[in-house]
């Protein structure tokens, strides 16, 4: 199977994008964590100020998957910023369906992303990988990626909405104890 | 201490650049800072900004030893979780040493959180260095969790020659 195209995702692709997001999450044993809907993807990816960008891998109908899909891979990314080096490209998700691996589709997607990063003058591409995911870690290290968590001690932290609201309440209480500050 | 928290403007880039360098000098890595004031102006204040800024300012009578009234900042931007949707990432949080211990850092973080929630974000993300025990403890006490520790997710980077080779398809 040689023919596939990589293209920018369109609004009509959101159903496939969500399907592939869930497949990847299932592989990471996190399927129940996906609460995103097609509506969210549509609103957040295709408005005036998109929160993300997406590339999809499209195969001709005669090569469709066992369950009749022609969108068989995707990458979701967005731009971030490092105040020391400037613009970065952040790779949020990157996945090719199992039956379509080994044909160079993943490598082509990565190449396209890197070209986008270089073209938009990003100095680096960042992403996260689970430490148990040895094949992926090897895939990226073979291509020159470095592990910032191991090498520089960076740990990724997350606060969810419930705790964010609690944090705000604490911070407000602290601030109300301080003298004469105001928020504009 | 009296201070104001407000959105950064183009005119603040000079002070933001100064404070970025202060932080880098403190960490003894100021040679790694490639971004200048004009880059911040272009990247943060054009039609499609790559980041947003918050400034902490004190009144003139409380200015720093060198005469600065802009004494802290936070840089943040919006990201996207393929599981949960809109998120906000706090990239930098800094308060000049002589103004610490007065809740300015907490106020900056609070503002970023408020703005994130207002924009429909369901999470705030940031990174902390593993040697920074006091920060790690503070965040863990606030209900944050260490994704690197708990889920084993490592932050990876592909840059410089590696990025160029990938772009050329040298696999």
């Amino acid at each position: 199977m040689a023919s596939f195209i990589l293209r920018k995702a369109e609004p009509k692709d959101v159903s496939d994008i969500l399907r592939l997001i869930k497949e990847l999450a299932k592989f990471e044993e996190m399927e129940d964590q996906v609460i995103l809907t097609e509506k969210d993807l549509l609103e957040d990816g295709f408005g005036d100020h998109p929160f993300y960008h997406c590339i999809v891998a499209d195969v001709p109908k005669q090569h469709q998957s066992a369950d009749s899909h022609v969108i068989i891979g995707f990458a979701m990314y967005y731009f971030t910023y490092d105040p020391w080096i400037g613009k970065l490209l952040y790779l949020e998700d990157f996945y090719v369906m199992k039956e379509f691996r080994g044909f160079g589709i993943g490598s082509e997607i990565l190449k396209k992303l890197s070209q986008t990063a270089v073209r938009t003058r990003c100095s680096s591409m960042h992403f996260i990988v689970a430490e148990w995911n040895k094949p992926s870690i090897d895939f990226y290290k073979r291509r020159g990626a470095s592990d910032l968590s191991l090498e520089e001690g960076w740990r990724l932290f997350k606060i969810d909405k419930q705790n964010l609201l609690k944090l705000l309440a604490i911070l407000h209480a602290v601030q109300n104890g301080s003298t004469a500050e105001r928020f504009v | 201490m009296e201070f104001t928290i407000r959105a950064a403007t183009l005119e603040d880039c000079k002070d933001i650049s100064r404070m970025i360098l202060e932080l880098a000098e403190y960490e003894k890595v100021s040679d790694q800072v490639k971004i200048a004031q004009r880059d911040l102006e272009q990247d943060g204040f054009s039609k499609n900004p790559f980041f947003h800024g918050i400034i902490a300012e004190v009144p003139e009578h409380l200015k720093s030893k060198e005469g600065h009234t802009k004494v802290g900042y936070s840089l943040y931007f919006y990201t996207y979780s393929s599981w949960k949707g809109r998120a906000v990432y706090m990239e930098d949080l800094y308060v000049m040493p002589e103004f610490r211990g007065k809740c300015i850092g907490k106020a900056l973080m609070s503002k970023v959180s408020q703005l994130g929630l207002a924009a429909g974000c369901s999470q705030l993300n940031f990174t902390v260095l593993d040697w920074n025990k006091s920060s790690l403890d503070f965040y863990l006490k606030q209900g944050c969790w260490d994704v690197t520790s708990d889920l084993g997710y490592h932050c990876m980077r592909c840059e410089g020659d590696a990025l160029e080779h990938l772009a050329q398809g040298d696999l």
Side-chain angles (χ1 to χ4, degrees):
Chain A
M1 195 230 65
S3 69
F4 63 92
I5 58 152
L6 295 184
R7 59 172 177 79
K8 225 170 122 172
E10 294 162 32
K12 66 181 169 99
D13 297 318
V14 294
S15 165
D16 285 287
I17 295 170
L18 188 58
R19 170 180 57 83
L20 294 170
I21 285 172
K22 286 182 175 171
E23 269 185 41
L24 175 53
K26 191 173 182 178
F27 167 70
E28 296 181 357
E29 294 172 18
M30 293 285 183
E31 204 184 357
D32 59 324
Q33 295 288 319
V34 180
I35 59 169
L36 206 60
T37 63
E38 286 180 25
K39 183 172 176 286
D40 296 323
L41 282 170
L42 204 56
E43 213 168 83
D44 298 337
F46 299 95
D48 286 334
H49 298 286
F51 278 80
Y52 71 88
H53 305 277
C54 205
I55 303 175
V56 295
D58 207 331
V59 295
K61 207 160 162 58
Q62 65 264 33
H63 292 135
Q64 67 189 2
S65 71
D67 42 0
S68 312
H69 297 296
V70 292
I71 305 290
I72 52 83
F74 84 113
M76 177 186 270
Y77 67 95
Y78 39 83
F79 296 100
T80 64
Y81 201 78
D82 180 317
W84 292 4
I85 54 174
K87 286 181 278 190
L88 309 174
L89 187 147
Y90 187 88
L91 179 54
E92 170 67 21
D93 263 13
F94 171 30
Y95 177 75
V96 175
M97 287 172 70
K98 205 167 177 190
E99 65 190 276
F100 292 90
R101 290 182 204 161
F103 297 110
I105 299 176
S107 297
E108 275 304 303
I109 293 177
L110 211 51
K111 179 178 166 183
K112 197 153 187 99
L113 289 167
S114 311
Q115 288 169 347
T116 302
V118 169
R119 193 182 67 241
T120 52
R121 293 197 324 278
C122 294
S123 42
S124 190
M125 187 160 69
H126 282 211
F127 46 98
I128 56 173
V129 185
E131 65 193 2
W132 51 257
N133 192 345
K134 202 155 184 326
S136 288
I137 294 182
D138 289 344
F139 175 89
Y140 294 123
K141 282 198 156 159
R142 267 202 306 275
R143 287 153 177 82
S146 41
D147 184 335
L148 297 179
S149 292
L150 266 182
E151 293 173 28
E152 296 181 16
W154 288 106
R155 305 166 87 97
L156 179 62
F157 269 68
K158 193 184 288 288
I159 321 179
D160 61 27
K161 189 167 179 175
Q162 193 181 13
N163 285 298
L164 208 50
L165 288 164
K166 276 192 206 163
L167 176 65
L168 276 172
I170 292 170
L171 293 174
H172 273 296
V174 164
Q175 278 131 28
N176 290 336
S178 310
T179 52
E181 77 284 351
R182 61 190 174 87
F183 287 75
V184 174
Chain B
M1 163 165 284
E2 204 185 325
F3 62 89
T4 317
I5 302 290
R6 59 167 177 79
T9 63
L10 192 71
E11 290 67 39
D12 293 319
C13 288
K14 184 171 179 211
D15 284 275
I16 296 174
S17 186
R18 168 183 58 83
M19 288 189 275
I20 287 170
L21 272 167
E22 276 176 23
L23 180 53
E25 268 156 20
Y26 168 71
E27 294 184 2
K28 301 195 198 319
V29 285
S30 51
D31 59 319
Q32 289 187 31
V33 179
K34 312 291 179 211
I35 288 292
Q37 180 184 330
R38 64 179 177 280
D39 298 307
L40 291 173
E41 287 167 358
Q42 195 169 48
D43 296 337
F45 297 91
S46 56
K47 186 166 171 271
N48 294 306
F50 285 86
F51 68 87
H52 306 282
I54 309 279
I55 295 283
E57 198 162 22
V58 297
E60 186 68 25
H61 67 273
L62 291 173
K63 65 183 183 226
S64 75
K65 289 195 292 288
E66 296 115 339
H68 300 299
T69 55
K70 295 170 201 180
V71 303
Y73 76 99
S74 178
L75 288 192
Y76 68 96
F77 40 79
Y78 295 104
T79 62
Y80 205 71
S81 158
S82 56
W83 297 352
K84 315 271 190 214
R86 297 180 191 186
V88 60
Y89 189 91
M90 186 171 66
E91 170 64 32
D92 262 14
L93 178 63
Y94 174 77
V95 176
M96 291 170 68
E98 68 188 274
F99 293 90
R100 290 188 197 155
K102 302 178 193 325
C103 298
I104 297 178
K106 292 184 168 92
L108 285 164
M109 188 171 178
S110 175
K111 191 68 176 170
V112 173
S113 307
Q114 285 170 26
L115 291 167
L117 285 167
C121 299
S122 59
Q123 53 184 243
L124 167 68
N125 297 324
F126 51 97
T127 52
V128 184
L129 282 164
D130 58 9
W131 52 255
N132 193 345
K133 193 146 190 335
S134 55
S135 290
L136 287 170
D137 288 345
F138 171 79
Y139 293 125
L140 288 170
K141 263 208 288 276
Q142 307 317 317
C144 307
W145 47 289
D146 181 340
V147 177
T148 300
S149 200
D150 295 355
L151 294 182
Y153 281 119
H154 286 214
C155 303
M156 309 285 286
R157 171 177 60 201
C158 210
E159 63 178 351
D161 285 344
L163 190 61
E164 294 284 346
H165 288 144
L166 268 179
Q168 280 152 37
D170 299 346
L171 304 168

